[in-house]
Amino acid sequence: MMSMFKEIEKKAFVVQEEYKKTQEMIDNHKVELDKTKEEYTKQKKAMDELRATEVDAEYKLQDTKKLAKEWEMKVKTFKKRLDEIHIMLLNTWIKSKRMLLILRNSK
């Protein structure tokens, strides 16, 4: 009976050792899994920040393009107005020259 008990005790010890090894392996894998999850979370956060930055940059680019278009329209308007003023000044100058010629000829 004692030998049977010893045999059972040996088998229980082997099972217990296998359980410890298995538990140790599970613990090691859990540590690796936790590290991987942490790394994934960091990379996901970085990727989300990059995407947000990209979207922000795209909005800023669109705003800049819109502003450039507005300034282009303003420049065209000012150029047109300057051309009109230039023509008016030329017409005034021509009229004044004619008046001077008329005055000189009338003397």
Side-chain angles (χ1 to χ4, degrees), residues 14-75:
V14 169
V15 168
Q16 189 176 14
E17 286 299 312
E18 286 297 318
Y19 173 80
K20 284 180 184 177
K21 288 178 185 176
T22 303
Q23 190 61 43
E24 185 178 314
M25 196 166 64
I26 289 171
D27 291 345
N28 287 340
H29 281 76
K30 185 177 181 334
V31 168
E32 285 300 316
L33 179 64
D34 290 343
K35 286 179 184 177
T36 304
K37 282 181 182 178
E38 185 179 325
E39 186 64 30
Y40 170 79
T41 304
K42 285 179 185 177
Q43 288 182 1
K44 185 176 183 321
K45 182 180 176 185
M47 184 62 99
D48 290 344
E49 288 173 0
L50 283 172
R51 284 188 183 132
T53 302
E54 180 182 20
V55 169
D56 188 43
E58 186 64 33
Y59 280 123
K60 286 181 181 178
L61 176 63
Q62 294 303 322
D63 287 345
T64 303
K65 285 181 178 179
K66 183 179 174 184
L67 188 60
K69 196 71 169 173
E70 289 173 8
W71 278 103
E72 187 178 315
M73 295 301 289
K74 285 181 182 181
V75 166

Side-chain angles (χ1 to χ4, degrees), residues 96-107:
S96 66
K97 284 293 185 180
R98 283 185 188 157
M99 291 295 277
L100 281 173
L101 282 173
I102 292 171
L103 284 174
R104 283 188 188 158
N105 287 337
S106 66
K107 288 184 181 178

